[in-house]
Amino acid sequence: MKIYGNSYDKRANNRKFKHQRRYLAAARFLITEMGSKNKIQRENLCSIIFSCTKDLTAARPSEGVETLPFFTKNPVPMLDVQQMDFEGGLPMCIRIFLNVNIDKELNEIIHVNLCK
């Protein structure tokens, strides 16, 4: 029998909330960096695809981005998907694919990687 409200459950909920906040902040930071480094304007953005590894389950990456003022005024279609799981794959990874209509050559686009 599980007892709700004990200190163990509260600690587990607090940990989940911390992970969720960090996860959403990472998605917001990554998309902000992508937009600023490539000088992307809202009118050029067609859609966004978010993918994450199976170990990131606290929230959808788009949840963090939907709250940014850039997207609340003019919503963009967003899709969250799970990356294929394979041996040796990068854990705890969020990838964002922006579908953008811009006049830049492929070698002019700055790809943002926050892993160091």
Side-chain angles (χ1 to χ4, degrees):
M1 179 166 85
K2 186 169 183 174
I3 299 172
Y4 295 96
N6 64 23
S7 60
Y8 176 77
D9 288 336
K10 287 179 185 175
R11 283 195 308 266
N13 285 338
N14 285 341
R15 272 195 305 276
K16 182 178 179 183
F17 183 67
K18 282 182 186 177
H19 289 302
Q20 183 180 16
R21 280 196 339 224
R22 257 188 259 151
Y23 183 41
L24 296 177
R28 282 192 296 270
F29 182 74
L30 180 57
I31 202 151
T32 302
E33 284 293 298
M34 293 170 74
S36 65
K37 289 189 180 209
N38 289 291
K39 297 177 180 52
I40 296 172
Q41 301 298 314
R42 168 57 192 96
E43 57 270 9
N44 299 341
L45 193 55
C46 303
S47 64
I48 307 169
I49 299 172
F50 298 89
S51 72
C52 59
T53 51
K54 74 175 190 168
D55 52 357
L56 296 175
T57 59
R60 297 176 295 110
S62 64
E63 283 181 66
V65 174
E66 290 168 346
T67 60
L68 291 171
F70 188 78
F71 297 104
T72 54
K73 294 177 184 172
N74 300 304
V76 175
M78 298 183 196
L79 175 66
D80 293 285
V81 297
Q82 187 178 38
Q83 295 174 27
M84 183 180 77
D85 188 30
F86 61 94
E87 195 173 317
L90 187 61
M92 300 186 75
C93 181
I94 301 170
R95 289 186 172 93
I96 302 176
F97 182 81
L98 298 178
N99 296 301
V100 184
N101 185 17
I102 54 175
D103 292 325
K104 282 188 176 185
E105 295 296 323
L106 187 58
N107 62 350
E108 296 176 301
I109 296 173
I110 298 169
H111 296 277
V112 179
N113 184 352
L114 301 181
C115 296
K116 302 228 174 184

